[in-house]
Amino acid sequence: MAIYTDTKIAQGPFLFISGQTPSQDGATPEDPQEQTTIVLKKIEQLLSANQLSWSSVVKMTVFLTDAAYLAAVRTAFTTILAENKPAMSLVIVAGLVAPEFKVEIDAQATLA
């Protein structure tokens, strides 16, 4: 099941959310699904702080350190975003800012 849409029409103004990482309360879980859930919850909190929800998100970029984590990422996205499907890019990277990070996600949402 696709967790994204190929296209999404949006009107500004926009909220740009910087890449969010899976560290929470000074700890980072090992499991990529747990890491993704933490990152998505951080994004959700930033959306809420700006009176927005997942339906406002038009584009996300997911950075993974290993393609093997994709199934775990899909599960977290399906659980949290449900039917909301923004346009999305997935990038496999050699590493992130901390070696224990397996995922980082940024997002763009429309305020219109």
Side-chain angles (χ1 to χ4, degrees):
M1 176 174 85
I3 59 171
Y4 64 92
T5 183
D6 286 328
T7 62
K8 187 130 184 159
I9 296 173
Q11 290 185 295
F14 294 97
L15 171 68
F16 294 90
I17 299 174
S18 296
Q20 299 298 302
T21 60
S23 183
Q24 185 175 31
D25 300 324
T28 304
E30 179 69 23
D31 181 66
Q33 184 175 336
E34 288 181 55
Q35 286 196 14
T36 305
T37 298
I38 289 169
V39 171
L40 292 174
K41 291 293 186 178
K42 284 181 170 183
I43 293 171
E44 191 170 65
Q45 289 171 349
L46 292 167
L47 290 167
S48 181
N50 286 278
Q51 294 76 49
L52 299 173
S53 66
W54 283 115
S55 63
S56 301
V57 176
V58 295
K59 174 76 168 74
M60 298 177 84
T61 304
V62 179
F63 301 93
L64 290 179
T65 58
D66 191 326
Y69 303 145
L70 187 53
V73 169
R74 286 181 193 269
T75 300
F77 266 86
T78 302
T79 301
I80 295 172
L81 271 69
E83 294 302 313
N84 296 299
K85 295 180 180 180
M88 192 176 301
S89 296
L90 173 68
V91 183
I92 304 301
V93 297
L96 295 167
V97 69
E100 66 271 20
F101 293 174
K102 296 176 180 174
V103 61
E104 182 173 328
I105 304 170
D106 67 26
Q108 295 89 49
T110 180
L111 280 67

